[in-house]
Amino acid sequence: LPDTAVADPATIAPLPERGYRIVIPGIGGTGVVTISALLATAATIDGLHVQSLDQTGLAQKGGAVVSHLHVSRTPILAAAQTNSANADLILGCDLLGAIAPSNLKTAHPERTVAVVNSDVTPTSFSIRQRLPILGPESQVVQLNGATRASANLYVDATRIAESLFGSHLAVNVFLLGVAFQAGYLPISRPAIETALRLNAVDLDRNLAAFLWGRQWVADRAQVESLLPSTAPSAPREIDRFAELTAYQNRAYALEWQRFVEAQPAEIRPVVAKYLYK
């Protein structure tokens, strides 16, 4: 990646007397709890008081997980879990998780802003139940109806972060950079970067992911220009006979060939393809 520098946002989120509540829904195995811990550490570095609650339940790889964070200038006496219509920010590492009823109920159309990864990742439940997975449009409409739609940010963080850094583990830190640069976090940049250094896990990549998330807000065109083309490539021609020979032996490939040649001409290409598979 080229060298880049991003000026800090003109303002960061104000911290009201009641405190600032962040809900972070996502998928287990992608670092949701880590993001919550990083923000809690950074807030502490800034001299703030913090409460956090991680609801992991049965969330292993691909399961639902959500973290709640409450940041305040004064000691916190309230519950750690964000209750109905009380969230200031939904940092949606997963779009489907952001619109889950238990998470969406924390939003208020005049109070809550959403910064969300627009990539729709099927959950383990949806895969087991064979539920249809549609594009993000209907989910965005649903989330906008419950939050400050004009202030929301949707970014295909999965596509961008995986293209830039080659790992899905960079996605949530990239999204954190987006939320900071948009002015939706009441925590300073030096504190967040210090928390990343204290965590000391994949430090260079995480610092870069945070920086390029900020850059996406400052100059989306530059970030997009670094991504590979999404134009579909021509399908590769497969020598199925050679592939089957390499997979087992020539006799195995001949068995496939004889069966295909015995089929009526109009269905022969389909039989050749799917018997090979």
Side-chain angles (χ1 to χ4, degrees):
L1 292 171
D3 291 336
T4 190
V6 186
D8 286 347
T11 60
I12 63 174
L15 190 54
E17 186 176 347
R18 56 174 167 74
Y20 194 90
R21 288 188 175 270
I22 305 170
V23 178
I24 314 172
I27 294 175
T30 60
V32 173
V33 173
T34 300
I35 291 298
S36 177
L38 286 169
L39 284 173
T41 302
T44 303
I45 292 169
D46 271 345
L48 304 174
H49 297 266
V50 186
Q51 268 189 330
S52 64
L53 172 67
D54 301 316
Q55 295 178 307
T56 57
L58 298 177
Q60 297 177 1
K61 305 297 183 184
V65 59
V66 60
S67 291
H68 298 255
L69 202 67
H70 187 186
V71 180
S72 175
R73 296 191 188 281
T74 58
I76 300 170
L77 302 177
Q81 184 173 359
T82 305
N83 53 17
S84 296
N86 209 24
D88 294 281
L89 169 65
I90 294 178
L91 185 60
C93 300
D94 170 63
L95 181 55
L96 293 178
I99 65 167
S102 58
N103 297 326
L104 197 60
K105 75 176 184 180
T106 66
H108 188 284
E110 296 179 0
R111 173 175 175 176
T112 309
V113 66
V115 176
V116 182
N117 179 8
S118 62
D119 179 68
V120 179
T121 304
T123 63
S124 55
F125 175 80
S126 65
I127 293 171
R128 290 196 306 270
Q129 298 297 318
R130 300 185 180 183
L131 301 177
I133 302 299
L134 306 177
E137 293 78 12
S138 60
Q139 288 90 353
V140 168
V141 170
Q142 189 174 351
L143 187 55
N144 280 344
T147 56
R148 293 167 50 199
S150 62
N152 291 346
L153 282 176
Y154 298 93
V155 52
D156 192 350
T158 299
R159 175 180 64 90
I160 297 173
E162 287 186 351
S163 295
L164 294 180
F165 305 104
S167 172
H168 73 282
L169 295 176
V171 172
N172 292 349
V173 181
F174 177 88
L175 195 69
L176 182 65
V178 172
F180 170 80
Q181 193 65 26
Y184 296 154
L185 290 174
I187 302 168
S188 71
R189 175 190 52 77
I192 295 174
E193 291 176 346
T194 300
L196 287 168
R197 290 188 175 92
L198 289 173
N199 189 44
V201 176
D202 290 323
L203 178 58
D204 291 341
R205 185 191 67 193
N206 284 330
L207 286 171
F210 180 66
L211 173 63
W212 282 94
R214 296 175 56 213
Q215 182 67 9
W216 182 86
V217 176
D219 188 351
R220 300 182 193 184
Q222 183 200 8
V223 177
E224 289 288 344
S225 71
L226 299 172
L227 305 182
S229 171
T230 57
S233 58
R236 180 175 65 91
E237 290 295 328
I238 299 174
D239 184 344
R240 296 189 176 98
F241 190 92
E243 291 283 336
L244 291 170
T245 300
Y247 173 71
Q248 188 154 321
N249 53 39
R250 180 177 173 81
Y252 189 72
L254 284 170
E255 181 182 352
W256 166 83
Q257 185 182 60
R258 293 189 189 103
F259 187 90
V260 171
E261 291 176 347
Q263 308 307 311
E266 62 269 20
I267 67 169
R268 197 172 296 156
V270 177
V271 173
K273 177 180 179 180
Y274 288 98
L275 179 59
Y276 163 80
K277 290 178 68 175

